[in-house]
Amino acid sequence: MPLEQFTLHPALGLLGASVNFTQANVFMALGAALTIALLYYGSRPAAVVPGRLQAAAEMLYSFVHDMAVEQIGPEGTRYFPFVFTLFAFILMGNLIGLVPYGFTYTSHIAITLALALMVVIMVTVVGIQRHGWHFFSYFMPPGVTIWLAPLLVPIEVISYLSRIISLSVRLFANMVAGHAMMVVFGGFVILLSSAGVATGIVAVGPFVLNVLLSGFELLVALLQAYVFAILTCLYLHDAEHLH
Amino acid sequence: MASGDDGFEARLQAARARQGLEQPDVPRRQQLPEGLGSALRVGVELVSALMVGLGIGWFLDRRLHTKPLFLVVFVLMGAVAGVLNVWRVVGRSTAPPR
């Protein structure tokens, strides 16, 4: 029951059903549209003293920009569009999920895995592009005898590849766990309050818990988008500078 | 230990501290116990490397028909890589700077 909320349903009627266009895709498009709308309407006034919308857009922009430049270095500006898109997409997915009837598309491993794969492939391509064959020295810690290479290189490669799993599972598991928990406590409220007056009073407990949990989920939504983006930046830094 | 990710976690920690994310601004009563966040992170890092090792070993065995050999070797290597990942998350914050 708590996991029922993550089921995919075809959207847009018969057309959507025939091309497997689900509500996840609808909300992904919505997230992208909201991001573009925020940036468009936020940057249009171009006032010296920004209004609320402009302040939000500028804060989002400069927050990610500063993060990219600080973590990657001066080259960070080149990767800023990538990091910003990633951050905004994940953030919108996490936040839309907190709105009733919204669907958290980041709660699907298929989506988070695709994002993580994109990051790791991009990081690898950047590393090879910048350093050529020298990039593979990344997998051999410096100052170690060559005899240990057959043991150390596979371990480093596994550690490198595990970024795909850890990036995707962290985001996916956090979103699933939070939303499942809220449904469980919501179910308690309904069961207890429908059983009678005495248990109805007890139902206040899980209800209050759910209110607190909503605030906590907002924190998790922001934090997980931030963690994904900053880890992307750190991986890009490693690819740029190799150690 | 001189490794590829030298200073990785130090930078992450510094960045997180700079952005004020190490202490989420929530009332004390709701605040999670210290270290639970990094404990969860450690779990993900540990298990993900093990899963990669398991996957590589299983795939090689299926390809080369050497049933248990590569699975055993790569699960062990995955476990080592997992500990290495954990070391990179935790070790940096506790070890004195060299």
Side-chain angles (χ1 to χ4, degrees):
Chain A
M1 227 267 280
L3 298 179
E4 221 176 75
Q5 56 177 324
F6 302 117
T7 327
L8 293 173
H9 305 288
L12 304 181
L14 220 58
L15 180 71
S18 57
V19 294
N20 245 335
F21 195 84
T22 63
Q23 89 271 36
N25 301 82
V26 171
F27 281 103
M28 273 186 260
L30 182 69
L34 278 175
T35 312
I36 293 167
L38 172 69
L39 292 175
Y40 179 72
Y41 290 108
S43 59
R44 211 169 45 162
V48 180
V49 180
R52 266 175 293 189
L53 201 64
Q54 193 188 338
E58 283 176 0
M59 267 169 67
L60 186 68
Y61 182 97
S62 60
F63 174 71
V64 181
H65 188 267
D66 290 352
M67 178 165 71
V69 171
E70 263 176 50
Q71 299 303 320
I72 308 174
E75 308 92 340
T77 43
R78 290 203 320 189
Y79 306 106
F80 165 68
F82 177 69
V83 177
F84 183 85
T85 311
L86 209 58
F87 180 75
F89 185 71
I90 294 167
L91 186 67
M92 283 298 169
N94 294 355
L95 290 180
I96 286 170
L98 294 174
V99 179
Y101 299 102
F103 181 79
T104 328
Y105 52 77
T106 42
S107 67
H108 274 253
I109 188 80
I111 286 153
T112 58
L113 189 64
L115 292 174
L117 268 174
M118 204 159 74
V119 168
V120 171
I121 290 171
M122 163 132 179
V123 165
T124 312
V125 167
V126 163
I128 292 173
Q129 201 182 31
R130 300 285 288 173
H131 303 281
W133 290 106
H134 191 64
F135 168 71
F136 293 98
S137 74
Y138 184 74
F139 298 114
M140 185 61 195
V144 182
T145 49
I146 198 78
W147 305 109
L148 280 172
L151 190 66
L152 285 176
V153 170
I155 288 170
E156 287 288 344
V157 170
I158 291 172
S159 175
Y160 187 81
L161 290 176
S162 75
R163 289 172 174 183
I164 302 169
I165 310 283
S166 64
L167 262 184
S168 59
V169 168
R170 186 181 304 119
L171 177 58
F172 145 81
N174 268 287
M175 296 332 284
V176 168
H179 285 261
M181 208 147 68
M182 285 177 84
V183 168
V184 167
F185 286 121
F188 285 167
V189 174
I190 292 167
L191 285 174
L192 284 170
S193 57
S194 60
V197 181
T199 52
I201 297 162
V202 183
V204 173
F207 182 77
V208 168
L209 214 60
N210 235 358
V211 172
L212 297 178
L213 213 55
S214 309
F216 181 69
E217 279 305 305
L218 188 63
L219 175 77
V220 170
L222 294 164
L223 201 65
Q224 288 305 320
Y226 174 73
V227 165
F228 201 102
I230 201 153
L231 284 175
T232 304
C233 286
L234 293 176
Y235 295 157
L236 280 169
H237 171 95
D238 283 351
E240 275 282 341
H241 305 282
L242 278 191
H243 283 300
Chain B
M1 190 193 66
S3 65
D5 277 356
D6 235 343
F8 179 97
E9 284 309 321
R11 291 203 307 279
L12 179 62
Q13 289 296 325
R16 284 168 62 98
R18 257 203 308 284
Q19 309 288 354
L21 276 155
E22 282 301 14
Q23 275 93 35
D25 194 17
V26 288
R28 185 164 285 277
R29 236 152 33 94
Q30 297 166 40
Q31 203 164 12
L32 288 170
E34 281 272 315
L36 183 60
S38 67
L40 287 172
R41 208 167 142 219
V42 162
V44 173
E45 295 286 349
L46 192 71
V47 172
S48 59
L50 195 64
M51 274 165 68
V52 171
L54 192 78
I56 293 173
W58 181 80
F59 177 77
L60 283 179
D61 272 345
R62 214 180 60 142
R63 268 298 158 94
L64 306 172
H65 303 288
T66 49
K67 195 71 186 243
L69 177 67
F70 283 112
L71 193 68
V72 171
V73 170
F74 274 92
V75 162
L76 286 174
M77 279 182 171
V80 174
V83 174
L84 190 65
N85 280 350
V86 171
W87 169 257
R88 279 168 188 166
V89 175
V90 184
R92 302 286 160 216
S93 54
T94 51
R98 287 171 300 141

